[in-house]
Amino acid sequence: MPVYSMTGFASAQNSAADNPSDLESKRPAARIGIEIRSVNSRFLDLTFKLPDELRQYEPSLRELLGSKLKRGKIEVRASLLAAGHADIEDPSMQLLQRLNSLQDGIKAWLPGARELSVSEVLRLAADESGAPGDWSGAVQTVAQKAVKSLVSAREREGERLARMLLDHVKQIEALVAKAKPLIPNLIQQQRTRFLERWQDAMGATGVAPESAQDRALSEATAFAIRIDVAEELTRLGSHLEEIERLLSKGGEVGKRLDFLIQELHREANTLGSKSATLELSRIGVDMKVLIEQMREQVQNLE
């Protein structure tokens, strides 16, 4: 199953064949245009910007998008694209007489009322020639085209993000492998150094080192435990394996990956705070840079 991004854009328009009523009535074939923009969001957030003629189709559009998309802030824009000037039919004489009569009647009661413009007359003429519900089939056809295109765009972007994340996983795994051999030697070096400093301190105070040897060993052991990052490295490796598994599985993995990235960041922070050498500190910093880059991209996955 592919991994989907929440970022994408798609648009579609209908053809004359998508609205048979236009062909049957011989009236100019207006066109419907739909644009869909998608960005990341915690949930599925749908926003519609439709002309009045298409507002009645919002529930069916909402149902269509909800069946295909699971997360993301989705903005849907639809418009009626007027036919070319050469295709505009002359309003009938009966319609013009009716509009003129209605306008005279209204102005008799409302002298300040504005007169109809040419564009308004043409729009009313177009509305008169159409039938309610003429756009139902065309809206669904165009919307399905746009949604299909959007899903494809989100899939392509998701594949790109998955490749980038897997590349970062490999880099972090290499850093973990680089850090593991340092741990045993680091602990022994720090333990020896601690004991030497303890003995120097005991000698400076005049206390026999032998009498404090047990205390020194106890303190050295506690210090070794504090700087031992083997457990953090093991958990890092486990989280990285789970990320690879989820990316291979695909589907709705964004929220799970976001949680795992938080856990990676937690372990990398602990690794840095326990670091007792410059080399281990550098490894921790490199890890956090890669993890932060992953976090930014994971937030775009569905």
Side-chain angles (χ1 to χ4, degrees):
M1 187 180 297
V3 175
Y4 293 95
S5 169
M6 286 186 283
T7 303
F9 172 81
S11 64
Q13 295 181 8
N14 68 324
S15 62
D18 294 329
N19 198 17
S21 61
D22 285 344
L23 300 177
E24 295 171 1
S25 64
K26 302 291 192 321
R27 62 189 174 92
R31 298 167 66 85
I32 295 176
I34 292 181
E35 291 185 354
I36 308 178
R37 302 175 188 272
S38 172
V39 295
N40 62 322
S41 176
R42 292 182 61 190
F43 308 102
L44 182 61
D45 181 7
L46 301 176
T47 303
F48 294 87
K49 297 185 178 181
L50 309 175
D52 292 339
E53 296 87 347
L54 303 180
R55 198 172 300 280
Q56 61 181 312
Y57 305 113
E58 180 177 328
S60 60
L61 290 173
R62 187 177 294 273
E63 182 179 356
L64 173 63
L65 289 163
S67 67
K68 301 295 184 181
L69 308 172
K70 303 304 179 184
R71 290 178 64 200
K73 182 176 177 60
I74 315 295
E75 180 183 277
V76 180
R77 290 177 177 268
S79 59
L80 284 173
L81 311 176
H85 294 292
D87 297 327
I88 297 178
E89 290 184 343
D90 294 335
S92 66
M93 188 62 65
Q94 293 83 356
L95 176 63
L96 293 176
Q97 290 174 346
R98 182 183 171 197
L99 290 175
N100 187 58
S101 177
L102 289 171
Q103 179 173 257
D104 289 343
I106 291 173
K107 294 195 70 174
W109 288 94
L110 301 172
R114 180 176 59 85
E115 294 187 354
L116 286 170
S117 67
V118 173
S119 62
E120 289 170 337
V121 170
L122 292 175
R123 181 175 61 81
L124 290 170
D127 292 343
E128 183 75 12
S129 64
D134 274 354
W135 302 112
S136 57
V139 166
Q140 280 296 313
T141 300
V142 177
Q144 288 172 1
K145 288 180 181 179
V147 171
K148 183 178 180 180
S149 178
L150 178 67
V151 170
S152 296
R154 285 165 55 123
E155 181 180 348
R156 291 192 299 271
E157 179 67 9
E159 290 177 356
R160 186 188 69 80
L161 292 178
R163 289 195 299 270
M164 186 277 291
L165 290 171
L166 288 173
D167 179 67
H168 280 51
V169 165
K170 296 301 182 184
Q171 293 184 55
I172 297 175
E173 286 176 340
L175 292 172
V176 170
K178 185 178 179 181
K180 281 183 176 179
L182 302 176
I183 306 305
N185 292 335
L186 172 63
I187 292 174
Q188 184 58 41
Q189 290 173 6
Q190 294 299 323
R191 186 172 183 272
T192 301
R193 185 180 304 173
F194 184 89
L195 287 173
E196 290 175 351
R197 291 181 178 178
W198 180 278
Q199 291 171 353
D200 290 342
M202 293 300 100
T205 57
V207 179
E210 291 78 12
S211 62
Q213 187 68 31
D214 291 341
R215 177 67 183 278
L217 288 172
S218 177
E219 293 290 339
T221 301
F223 179 73
I225 292 174
R226 287 199 300 273
I227 66 171
D228 186 3
V229 294
E231 188 175 343
E232 284 74 15
L233 294 176
T234 299
R235 285 197 293 264
L236 278 168
S238 176
H239 295 329
L240 293 171
E241 289 178 4
E242 180 65 8
I243 290 174
E244 288 183 295
R245 186 189 71 81
L246 288 173
L247 290 173
S248 299
K249 175 185 174 184
E252 301 169 38
V253 297
K255 291 183 178 180
R256 178 64 178 166
L257 287 173
D258 189 46
F259 169 76
L260 289 171
I261 293 300
Q262 293 179 33
E263 293 301 304
L264 284 179
H265 202 274
R266 191 194 316 277
E267 301 301 339
N269 278 336
T270 305
L271 178 67
S273 64
K274 285 187 173 184
S275 177
T277 65
L278 182 60
E279 185 173 4
L280 201 57
S281 295
R282 287 173 176 169
I283 290 175
V285 170
D286 290 342
M287 281 185 181
K288 286 194 282 188
V289 170
L290 291 169
I291 292 169
E292 181 62 23
Q293 292 173 351
M294 293 176 69
R295 184 188 67 81
E296 293 176 359
Q297 300 305 325
V298 160
Q299 291 180 351
N300 289 319
L301 292 180
E302 187 176 70

